[in-house]
Amino acid sequence: MHSRMAELQQIFRFAHDYSNMDTVFTDPSRGICWEFMYSQIPDALQPYFNSIRPNLNPGDSGPEPSIKLHSTSFRLNFISVHFYADGTSFGSLIVGPFLLDEPSASSLNTVLLEHHLPITFMPLIEQYYLSLPLISSDKTDRLVEFLSFLSSHFHQRKQQSPLKTIQIDVQNEFVRLPDTVKEKTDEAILTINDRYRTENKLLSVIENGSIEKLEAMQEELAIFSKLPDRIPNNPLRSRKNLAFVTNTLLRKAAEQGGVHPVYIDSISEKFAIQIEKTTSIQQLSNLHDKMLYEYCETVRKLSLKYYSPVIRTAIEYIRLHLAEPLRLEAIATAVHVSPSDLSRQFKKETGQPLTSYINSLRIREALQIIRSEPISITDIAQMVGFSDVNYFTKVFKQLQGVTPSDYRKTLQCKAAKKPQT
């Protein structure tokens, strides 16, 4: 008996590792022996959904080994395997819930109506169903075949067990909503509404590149640290998944804010790599804050939202070709207008002549290089598009009040005076 249970536990682990879904092993009286759980039912839905798995009756086929696909009236699916050997029922292994079809507003509304659930449950239902694995019929077949093989091995039978498909109508005992459940539901819905409102406000702040408003939102942003883990047994993986979603939302907000996709893609890729490399939730929290500020600062510096299409295209061309010779005629050709029209419209919208704008961008790039790289002034001049180092020095001094060499010396002096930590 002991060796049989040890074998069953090994089969249970195989089933969980292969399916990557909630996996439970119940004894003949339906008590839980072992379980691995990923999905988390929202508190308010637990009185309704917790009763589904115990009502599957996976072991009602008598002393024959069996494998069943349970399709419930909640549109949730489970696969169960009954283990029976040596005249003894050992219990059942249950994998699921999972979805065979992507949840739609129509299908979720049907679930609400058929089970007499209040319409206020819709956000919670949607949150729960979107957290469940969605698998294809092919993967379902492969999973059934794998579990059937494990079952046959345990039963020491050469032929695998046939699949039985069962439609289950789970009756809801809570036709009227209990007060305690209603209180939890109302509280959960308020939390969801607050989270969505805060999220929309945050995206608007990023879209407008407002660092001041972002700093003022710090207390409100704490709501995101209280989100339930979608993968309870692996909170770091759960938080990483949320961070990937945040990265995507922020990049879309930056795009709406008028930043060219070239810059957004670079930032997004950088953060995606950093998210995956984190090894603690604290690192993810710090990275989350860094993402907010960098996207916001990028919009503030690079947004072209309020320029006309012609000037926006001209500025994008200048930024992408800053290290190359930039002549009025070449830029005008790139944006399909005459040089005189471009020159006039550019000054009207930006408040400065085209040459002055290009020089200011080049000096800004030079400042960043001087602060971070020990490169010669001549090389820096060439890197930002100045073929003549003397002209670079002249423009630099006009805009910064000092020469590039003096600016670097000032930085070095400040660094030398800074106390060592």
Side-chain angles (χ1 to χ4, degrees):
M1 184 72 172
H2 177 73
S3 62
R4 279 294 199 178
M5 292 305 294
E7 184 181 359
L8 275 177
Q9 190 166 19
Q10 187 177 37
I11 288 174
F12 168 75
R13 292 183 180 276
F14 283 156
H16 169 261
D17 291 342
Y18 184 82
S19 69
N20 201 31
M21 290 191 283
D22 289 3
T23 309
V24 173
F25 194 92
T26 61
D27 60 26
S29 62
R30 302 184 190 177
I32 293 178
C33 298
W34 314 298
E35 62 178 344
F36 281 122
M37 304 297 286
Y38 285 130
S39 58
Q40 187 174 34
I41 304 173
D43 289 345
L45 298 181
Q46 288 184 10
Y48 306 91
F49 285 76
N50 277 344
S51 61
I52 296 176
R53 191 182 283 108
N55 287 327
L56 297 181
N57 298 323
D60 62 356
S61 58
E64 289 297 319
S66 65
I67 182 167
K68 300 176 182 177
L69 172 62
H70 307 264
S71 297
T72 75
S73 54
F74 276 97
R75 273 57 172 181
L76 303 180
N77 303 278
F78 300 80
I79 298 173
S80 71
V81 188
H82 181 218
F83 289 88
Y84 190 100
D86 305 325
T88 303
S89 172
F90 285 84
S92 299
L93 186 150
I94 304 172
V95 175
F98 59 90
L99 305 177
L100 294 173
D101 298 296
E102 188 171 352
S104 63
S106 174
S107 63
L108 296 182
N109 271 321
T110 301
V111 169
L112 289 175
L113 292 173
E114 288 184 353
H115 294 276
H116 310 288
L117 301 177
I119 193 64
T120 51
F121 271 20
M122 178 55 84
L124 301 178
I125 293 278
E126 183 178 19
Q127 173 190 338
Y128 176 53
Y129 277 59
L130 289 176
S131 73
L132 296 176
L134 174 65
I135 68 174
S136 66
S137 57
D138 287 342
K139 183 169 181 179
T140 304
D141 291 342
R142 290 196 300 272
L143 181 56
V144 166
E145 187 176 346
F146 178 71
L147 295 177
S148 181
F149 172 79
L150 295 179
S151 170
S152 299
H153 175 77
F154 180 81
H155 291 286
Q156 296 180 342
R157 294 163 58 98
K158 294 182 180 179
Q159 187 175 5
Q160 295 184 15
S161 306
L163 171 68
K164 299 178 182 179
T165 301
I166 301 174
Q167 298 292 333
I168 299 176
D169 181 14
V170 181
Q171 294 299 322
N172 185 354
E173 61 179 298
F174 292 109
V175 176
R176 296 190 61 183
L177 198 63
D179 291 339
T180 54
V181 175
K182 187 176 185 303
E183 289 173 6
K184 288 186 177 181
T185 304
D186 293 341
E187 182 180 347
I189 291 173
L190 284 174
T191 301
I192 291 173
N193 288 337
D194 286 344
R195 191 174 80 234
Y196 275 76
R197 185 168 54 250
T198 302
E199 184 179 274
N200 289 331
K201 183 178 177 181
L202 172 63
L203 296 180
S204 176
V205 167
I206 301 297
E207 181 180 336
N208 290 287
S210 177
I211 296 291
E212 296 77 12
K213 290 184 178 179
L214 178 61
E215 291 175 344
M217 282 190 68
Q218 291 308 303
E219 289 188 11
E220 294 176 74
L221 295 177
I223 192 171
F224 295 112
S225 65
K226 301 174 183 177
L227 290 174
D229 291 328
R230 294 289 176 89
I231 310 176
N233 291 328
N234 193 341
L236 181 59
R237 181 74 265 166
S238 178
R239 293 289 163 170
K240 283 186 178 183
N241 291 348
L242 286 173
F244 284 127
V245 172
T246 301
N247 191 22
T248 300
L249 291 174
L250 294 177
R251 68 175 291 167
K252 297 304 293 182
E255 183 181 9
Q256 292 295 318
V259 178
H260 194 281
V262 167
Y263 301 103
I264 301 172
D265 190 67
S266 175
I267 297 171
S268 176
E269 182 179 6
K270 176 186 72 174
F271 280 125
I273 293 171
Q274 291 180 1
I275 289 168
E276 192 56 46
K277 285 185 175 180
T278 54
T279 57
S280 71
I281 291 177
Q282 183 59 52
Q283 285 181 344
L284 274 175
S285 178
N286 295 339
L287 186 59
H288 179 270
D289 293 342
K290 184 179 178 182
M291 287 167 57
L292 298 184
Y293 278 93
E294 184 159 336
Y295 274 107
C296 197
E297 182 68 14
T298 299
V299 173
R300 191 180 71 81
K301 287 183 176 180
L302 302 179
S303 175
L304 303 177
K305 186 176 182 179
Y306 300 105
Y307 293 115
S308 66
V310 169
I311 301 305
R312 186 184 308 143
T313 305
I315 293 175
E316 288 171 352
Y317 181 87
I318 291 168
R319 287 175 174 173
L320 295 174
H321 299 82
L322 198 60
E324 304 168 17
L326 286 170
R327 303 187 185 281
L328 174 61
E329 292 76 12
I331 301 171
T333 299
V335 299
H336 309 294
V337 297
S338 69
S340 59
D341 285 345
L342 175 61
S343 181
R344 182 173 58 255
Q345 189 66 21
F346 196 95
K347 185 173 182 180
K348 179 181 177 182
E349 293 191 29
T350 66
Q352 57 184 318
L354 184 63
T355 301
S356 298
Y357 182 86
I358 293 172
N359 284 341
S360 65
L361 281 187
R362 285 173 166 167
I363 297 306
R364 189 169 72 186
E365 289 294 315
L367 287 169
Q368 187 168 342
I369 297 172
I370 293 173
R371 293 189 196 109
S372 58
E373 302 289 344
I375 299 174
S376 72
I377 300 301
T378 300
D379 287 342
I380 292 174
Q382 292 178 347
M383 288 173 66
V384 299
F386 287 96
S387 58
D388 185 345
V389 68
N390 293 324
Y391 182 56
F392 167 65
T393 301
K394 178 182 176 181
V395 174
F396 193 102
K397 187 171 183 179
Q398 285 176 346
L399 296 176
Q400 297 298 317
V402 294
T403 66
S405 298
D406 289 340
Y407 180 78
R408 171 170 277 170
K409 288 177 183 177
T410 301
L411 292 178
Q412 291 171 342
C413 288
K414 288 181 179 179
K417 291 178 180 178
K418 186 180 292 186
Q420 299 294 319
T421 57

